[in-house]
Amino acid sequence: MRKGVRTANQVRQVSRGGPGRALGGATALLLILLSATAGRAAAQVDTIPGAVRHLGVVYESYVPTLAISPFTGRFGGLTVAPRVEAVIARDLRYSDRFEMMDSIPLAPGGGGVDYGLWDQFGADWLVTGQVEGLGNRFVLVLELHDVVFSEVKERARFSLPRPDAEDFRMAIHAISDDVVRWITGEPGMAASRICFSMESAAGSQELYVVDSDGENLRRLTNFNSLTMSCSWSPDGSRLAFLSFASGDPAIHEMEIATRQTRVLDFNRTGQPMTPVYHPNGEEIIFSLADGAESGLFSWRVREDCCLWRLTAGRWNDLSPSFSPDGRRLAFNSNRLGVAIPQIYVMPAESGGRPDLVSPYLYGQGGYYTSPDWAPSGDRVAFHGRYRRGSYHILIADVAAQGQRLLQLTYEGNNEDPSWAPDGRHLVFVGERDWGFGLFVVDTVSGRIRPVLSGVRPRVPDWSPNLASTEAPTREN
Amino acid sequence: MLHRGLIISVVAAGLFVASCGQEELPPPPVEEGPNQDSIDAARRAAEEAARRAAEEEARRAAALEAAREALTAMVFFDFDMAEIRSDAEGVLQRKVDVLRASPAVQLRIEGHADERGSSEYNLALGSRRAEAVRQFFVNAGLAQSRFDVRSYGEEQPREMGSNEQSWAQNRRDEFVITAGGNQIQVPGGGQ
């Protein structure tokens, strides 16, 4: 009965008896639509955004259940197997794409995979793994089983770095991302890091980096001065940031592997800020405030030359972020008024007229800053508030020009969103009753989890994918 | 000039009158050796002069210190604003007076914001606040090249609290003397 054309989740949904099972995993999301007539909605106060209606549209999506059978070991691999399994299990949980069954003490059914039993447990997918010792190294043989169709969907061998090597966890994260791609066809975000700035024990603000799962918090700079606004190069090897390390505020670039840092000298007066890489990796776009004017400028980092002005005016244009194809730019500007910064999108070649994507309404105020363009799809995340309300994370549909917004946070204050390489998650700085922290929100389910708490991080930037598995030997 | 000449002649006339009057008194007793009274008087006069000089020096030092304080006194801003507040104008005018009297002095104007709003937007806000004060100085006729502006955004608060009292203290410009710190002249202190 289950043979035949294999379709995706709809088939699973039907075979499992409808969406009832999936409801638990699917979290309600509110789609916020700007009301057609602004004046009518103007009476609302202190919510974000002011003139919206909460339509209460609930998106239900089918979330498959994924089980992980305890990893086994051969030739001494058992010493490492639980560690490998734990990292993969957490990565798959944090991917927010599955209902997880990963705390099973023993593999049911002993040796072989008993699909009938896993099916009774409600699993759609099953991951099994065996770690084999190979000299002083290890190999992970990973299998993805399609429980519904009672067959092995993928099988691959991954050689692992030595368990005490610095890149051990990152190599396993890359395997987790492969599992996500096997099942969903979409990129994962486990093999990535988040850069941000934070006050060090010595009292200066330095750059830090943490793995996507909150492990491996490390300090990158020791400049003993204000350093902030880090931005990853598209290949993940370099960071651009603002620092006062040399006395004057300047854009710096660091080669992460060697920590070698240089100051970009534009030979121009004014304070540069908010640098970001062009997707081609060869240019940096940043804001320069000089005198009463400010604007966005580009600089060719490879050749170390050629300051080029994209915008300028008697206001502030800042926090640029490129569309993935590099053709458009989202940025923040207070050109409509000093206390009402808004988010704009414009062609990356200067001269085009900027379009609003934040929900500005004449005379209604509203404060929207820190745009970040999604790595997939024409969506821009930013944070903002309406009048004197709290700051929340919002996503705008670029094509809708501020008319369609998704609000992702409802608690505390929330700032500076940055997209994960999977185009689905955002990291942001959250303020709660108990303090500050770095949080990740899944933009599909609305689920929020803390990455770091009890610290005061600033302006996080999520890296691109930093590791991929080296052409795993597929065995199916 | 005319006044000074007049004063000198009047004083001279007074002395003449006084000495004329003294001549009518009986001559003082003639004593051998140094006159103890005149020695004491000289010493007292010297001490008095030293005291006066010290006082004058202290007064000048205090005036110099006041001028230095005027240069580095902070100015504060309203929430999300970079306009010079009326209560800041007096503070800035005193800086202008000192800067006019002290052409060697150069200042760095450092703009700051309170913690509300985004870190990057507050960098821009701090830069507008620093620039607003530089414009005030330029409009007062001072050379723009004497001023360096920069912004620390919300990253270096003076007060750590999350309330209006702290925020009001953090929305500010600070001033650092970057050149001519030993050549500050007290305005109007030339005579």
Side-chain angles (χ1 to χ4, degrees), chain A residues 276-298:
Chain A
V276 70
Y277 283 90
H278 187 283
N280 66 18
E282 291 178 1
E283 291 166 54
I284 281 177
I285 312 293
F286 59 96
S287 173
L288 188 71
D290 188 18
E293 289 211 337
S294 104
L296 297 176
F297 288 76
S298 75

Side-chain angles (χ1 to χ4, degrees), chain A residues 12-282:
Chain A
R12 298 177 173 283
Q13 201 167 337
V14 171
S15 71
R16 292 253 167 242
R21 265 185 73 237
L23 251 176
T27 308
L29 264 193
L30 293 178
L31 181 71
I32 301 169
L33 283 177
L34 203 76
S35 79
T37 48
R40 183 158 47 82
Q44 295 183 11
V45 288
D46 291 354
T47 55
I48 283 192
V52 300
R53 286 186 294 150
H54 294 248
L55 292 184
V57 174
V58 177
Y59 279 96
E60 288 173 17
S61 58
Y62 174 70
V63 179
T65 298
L66 186 147
I68 297 180
S69 184
F71 285 14
T72 57
R74 277 208 307 171
F75 313 130
L78 196 54
T79 55
V80 189
R83 278 179 64 192
V84 176
E85 181 199 327
V87 173
I88 290 178
R90 191 159 68 165
D91 286 348
L92 295 178
R93 179 182 300 282
Y94 284 178
S95 80
D96 290 306
R97 296 171 191 267
F98 315 106
E99 282 289 296
M100 293 294 291
M101 295 171 56
D102 62 342
S103 299
I104 297 143
L106 278 173
V113 173
D114 184 344
Y115 290 115
L117 192 57
W118 286 108
D119 193 41
Q120 277 184 3
F121 286 168
D124 298 302
W125 300 98
L126 170 69
V127 172
T128 60
Q130 184 167 56
V131 180
E132 297 173 355
L134 196 79
N136 61 351
R137 300 177 66 92
F138 296 95
V139 166
L140 170 65
V141 181
L142 199 72
E143 283 184 342
L144 174 68
H145 304 267
D146 186 329
V147 176
V148 176
F149 289 91
S150 304
E151 62 185 30
V152 175
K153 174 96 187 297
E154 298 280 351
R155 184 167 200 272
R157 293 170 63 87
F158 301 98
S159 62
L160 302 175
R162 296 210 342 249
D164 58 349
E166 204 181 321
D167 57 348
F168 180 70
R169 288 180 59 92
M170 193 51 81
I172 300 171
H173 288 321
I175 297 169
S176 303
D177 287 342
D178 274 4
V179 174
V180 167
R181 196 173 297 106
W182 287 343
I183 297 177
T184 68
E186 289 172 32
M189 54 83 179
S192 62
R193 294 195 166 105
I194 297 159
C195 177
F196 58 96
S197 65
M198 183 168 78
E199 197 170 291
S200 70
S204 59
Q205 202 176 132
E206 308 282 354
L207 293 189
Y208 288 78
V209 74
V210 68
D211 290 357
S212 68
D213 59 354
E215 299 287 328
N216 269 335
L217 175 65
R218 280 173 296 161
R219 194 176 69 194
L220 279 184
T221 63
N222 195 9
F223 292 153
N224 205 17
S225 70
L226 175 57
T227 301
M228 62 183 285
S229 293
C230 49
S231 171
W232 293 89
S233 67
D235 66 359
S237 70
R238 289 168 294 155
L239 287 169
F241 51 88
L242 166 70
S243 180
F244 290 66
S246 60
D248 293 324
I251 306 296
H252 292 57
E253 189 183 41
M254 175 192 282
E255 176 95 28
I256 298 169
T258 60
R259 304 278 166 91
Q260 219 163 38
T261 303
R262 67 192 184 108
V263 176
L264 305 186
D265 181 8
F266 310 125
N267 195 22
R268 175 87 154 68
T269 56
Q271 176 166 348
M273 49 184 107
T274 68
V276 70
Y277 283 90
H278 187 283
N280 66 18
E282 291 178 1

Side-chain angles (χ1 to χ4, degrees), chain B residues 57-99:
Chain B
E57 183 54 36
R59 196 191 61 76
R60 278 195 49 233
L64 203 59
E65 191 48 39
R68 185 182 293 274
E69 274 171 23
L71 283 178
T72 55
M74 287 180 271
V75 292
F76 299 92
F77 294 84
D78 286 333
F79 173 65
D80 214 351
M81 293 307 219
E83 256 89 69
I84 307 290
R85 269 177 9 194
S86 54
D87 67 341
E89 280 176 21
V91 179
L92 292 177
Q93 191 53 52
R94 279 193 287 282
K95 292 180 199 292
V96 170
D97 294 341
V98 178
L99 288 164

Side-chain angles (χ1 to χ4, degrees), chain A residues 205 226 228-229 242 244 247-249 271 273-274 289 291-292 316 318-319 332 334 338-339 341 367 369-370 383 385 388 391 415 456 458-459, chain B residues 79-83 108 115-125 127-128 131 134-135 144 148-156 160 162:
Chain A
Q205 202 176 132
L226 175 57
M228 62 183 285
S229 293
L242 166 70
F244 290 66
D248 293 324
Q271 176 166 348
M273 49 184 107
T274 68
N316 293 105
L318 69 156
S319 305
N332 180 222
N334 56 5
V338 290
Y367 178 113
T369 63
S370 308
H383 81 259
R385 68 170 187 174
R388 296 278 162 129
Y391 296 94
E415 296 185 9
R456 175 73 161 100
R458 291 167 188 279
V459 204
Chain B
F79 173 65
D80 214 351
M81 293 307 219
E83 256 89 69
R108 187 167 71 223
E115 64 179 357
R116 291 171 296 168
S118 77
S119 297
E120 292 188 337
Y121 181 78
N122 281 337
L123 265 183
L125 179 58
S127 126
R128 285 207 306 280
E131 187 55 40
R134 175 157 71 174
Q135 277 310 313
Q144 175 151 336
D148 180 27
V149 295
R150 64 172 56 176
S151 169
Y152 288 99
E154 65 177 74
E155 315 302 331
Q156 296 187 349
M160 295 309 290
S162 286

Side-chain angles (χ1 to χ4, degrees), chain B residues 76-77 85 114 163-172:
Chain B
F76 299 92
F77 294 84
R85 269 177 9 194
D114 70 35
N163 50 60
E164 179 49 37
Q165 252 182 337
S166 300
W167 292 331
Q169 289 294 304
N170 293 336
R171 299 187 298 260
R172 70 200 191 275

